[in-house]
Amino acid sequence: MGQCDSVLDVGCGTDSPVGRLTARLGRTVGVDGHAPSVEASRRRGMHSDYLVAGVLEIGEHFAERSFDCVVASDLIEHLEKADALRLLGLMERIARKKVIVFTPNGFLLQGEYGDNPFQRHRSGWGVEEMQALGYRVSGINGWRPLRGELARVAWRPRPFWKAVSFLSRPLTARFPRHAFQLLCVKDLA
């Protein structure tokens, strides 16, 4: 996350990648509308602070330019397009330096799980769409056809195809249209 000392993790869930960086970052705040997920994250010490709130309510809780970086990891696909676009606008207002979005490449079917109704996917996002919104896009998690719901390896034998997926990462990073997931970064500073 570069020169970012404060991070707002929108839709933090139980095990956000941001939580693994908390020790290296100054202040991290996790926001999620599913209270049991926030409590699980709190027990694991993933963030310095938490807020149980709907992700579309972040503008009511955080001032403009109040965090160096605002992150949505595996979140926008859980919202209808119009709501996700509204959320991206809110994130861009709250961030000082950058916004980072991590999402599947295109629509990926996923239903509810873990007693969390927010887990169902409602939209899909593509490379050109995110670029048109001003984001730099890289491919993540290897070649798209190799993975399915919850990013699990879809083909058998799974250990072999997991290795192929891993080996395809450098190629899909450069050619994100073929990647399973997209890492989208918008620099604001």
Side-chain angles (χ1 to χ4, degrees):
M1 287 184 221
Q3 306 281 330
C4 296
D5 295 322
S6 59
V7 177
L8 178 62
D9 187 2
V10 184
C12 66
T14 61
D15 188 25
S16 169
V18 174
R20 294 179 195 91
L21 302 172
T22 298
R24 288 185 253 164
L25 297 169
R27 175 178 177 232
T28 64
V29 176
V31 176
D32 202 290
H34 188 245
S37 294
V38 170
E39 287 310 311
S41 180
R42 187 187 314 269
R43 283 191 303 274
R44 298 175 80 186
M46 302 295 279
H47 297 289
S48 31
D49 291 305
Y50 290 92
L51 173 67
V52 177
V55 297
L56 293 172
E57 298 169 9
I58 60 173
E60 300 167 22
H61 297 280
F62 303 103
E64 287 188 24
R65 311 285 176 244
S66 55
F67 287 85
D68 289 337
C69 182
V70 180
V71 176
S73 179
D74 289 318
L75 172 63
I76 62 172
E77 66 273 12
H78 297 276
L79 303 172
E80 298 292 340
K81 282 275 184 174
D83 286 338
L85 289 168
R86 192 169 129 225
L87 175 64
L88 292 172
L90 291 168
M91 292 170 62
E92 291 170 16
R93 282 198 292 276
I94 294 169
R96 278 190 291 265
K97 296 180 179 179
K98 67 176 62 181
V99 173
I100 300 174
V101 176
F102 185 68
T103 188
N105 183 10
F107 184 78
L108 176 67
L109 184 64
Q110 178 175 297
E112 295 179 17
Y113 71 90
D115 294 325
N116 185 345
F118 299 120
Q119 290 299 328
R120 186 169 71 85
H121 286 187
R122 292 175 169 81
S123 62
W125 299 82
V127 173
E128 292 83 5
E129 190 171 18
M130 293 307 291
Q131 289 173 334
L133 293 170
Y135 288 83
R136 286 181 286 112
V137 181
S138 299
I140 302 291
N141 276 335
W143 189 42
R144 187 170 191 236
L146 296 177
R147 295 186 180 267
E149 190 172 358
L150 302 175
R152 292 186 182 125
V153 174
W155 297 1
R156 293 176 190 247
R158 285 194 173 101
F160 173 78
W161 291 109
K162 187 174 184 177
V164 171
S165 178
F166 179 79
L167 293 171
S168 70
R169 286 179 177 183
L171 187 62
T172 58
R174 291 189 57 217
F175 300 100
R177 286 174 190 82
H178 302 289
F180 177 70
Q181 290 170 302
L182 305 175
L183 175 63
C184 313
V185 179
K186 187 171 197 175
D187 294 307
L188 303 174

